[in-house]
Amino acid sequence: MAFLPIPPLDPEQPAWFPPASQALADPNGLLAWGGDLSPERLRAAYARGIFPWYSPGQPPLWWCPDPRAVFDTRRIHLSSRFRRRLRSSNWIVRADTCFDAVVQACASAPRPGQDGTWILPAMREAYGELHRLGHAHSIEVFDGDRLVGGLYGVASGEMFSAESMFSADPGGSKVALAALGHWLAGWGWPLVDAQITNPHLVSLGAQAISRGHYLARLKVLAAAAGRPGSWSGLAALPAASLAPVIPD
């Protein structure tokens, strides 16, 4: 990767990253390459608004795009039609009860325009370790005992960075996102980082803000105590309870 005009990361300095202002404009946000996916490096990255994303055969590539896609935890949008469907739903939402299964489902989910997955075995292993240390979390939607949707991501203080989500049944990921927003808003966490915007995320309420604005917010939120440790003790949330509290 020496041909890329970005610096390599030093394996001996897992907490070091170049300033986000040095990220490339094309491809948008590419900042550094190399290093590893150790818990220390991942935690340092997310606290700075940086995340890994790369393809098979590449070393880790590290990104901090501009603009940044974020959700206001109080304004995640579900359509009126979907909310009407939720009112009669028997789905239940839990947290941190099957993290590895959620990550595997996200890795296996077909994506329009994508061939394969960026959630490689090394990524699954790394985020699994971060989960066991209490810093990565999953939101899981169940129909009885069957997992029908979910998402996972990394908490840095009072910022949650969502990595990926999936639906085994239509709407499963929407419910997971709405439940995440419900819990985070209740704790006073204002934002969910969604990294890069797309039409689907916009339909759910994502907004694009400048990297500078995002990093300024993150600096304050990442310094907060947050909720390290497992979130599995959260009371199961009936999906139907989300219908009246999510604004149109």
Side-chain angles (χ1 to χ4, degrees), residues 2-3 6 46 65 67 85 90 103 121 140 144 156 158 164 167 202 212 218:
F3 63 88
I6 53 172
Y46 281 95
R85 203 182 102 198
N90 293 320
V103 175
E140 308 129 7
S156 300
E158 294 181 355
S164 186
S167 294
V202 170
L218 175 63

Side-chain angles (χ1 to χ4, degrees), residues 114-125:
Q114 291 187 18
D115 182 15
T117 180
W118 58 269
I119 308 175
L120 305 172
M123 297 277 272
R124 296 198 291 272
E125 181 179 346

Side-chain angles (χ1 to χ4, degrees), residues 92-202:
I92 296 292
V93 190
R94 300 187 177 96
D96 281 354
T97 67
C98 56
F99 181 88
D100 291 338
V102 170
V103 175
Q104 180 60 52
C106 288
S108 303
R111 311 283 179 183
Q114 291 187 18
D115 182 15
T117 180
W118 58 269
I119 308 175
L120 305 172
M123 297 277 272
R124 296 198 291 272
E125 181 179 346
Y127 285 95
E129 179 63 19
L130 206 59
H131 167 68
R132 287 180 277 278
L133 292 171
H135 304 294
H137 304 280
S138 58
I139 308 298
E140 308 129 7
V141 185
F142 288 93
D143 182 358
D145 294 330
R146 190 167 66 91
L147 186 64
V148 297
L151 63 81
Y152 76 95
V154 177
S156 300
E158 294 181 355
M159 173 69 82
F160 189 90
S161 299
E163 275 296 308
S164 186
M165 57 186 182
F166 82 98
S167 294
D169 283 3
S173 62
K174 295 179 183 179
V175 170
L177 180 63
L180 174 66
H182 172 76
W183 276 319
L184 297 186
W187 300 340
W189 297 26
L191 297 177
V192 173
D193 170 28
Q195 299 176 348
I196 299 172
T197 192
N198 62 45
H200 176 61
L201 295 181
V202 170

Side-chain angles (χ1 to χ4, degrees), residues 226-247:
R227 292 177 68 102
S230 176
W231 293 357
S232 60
L234 292 173
L237 183 68
S241 70
L242 295 166
V245 297
I246 305 298

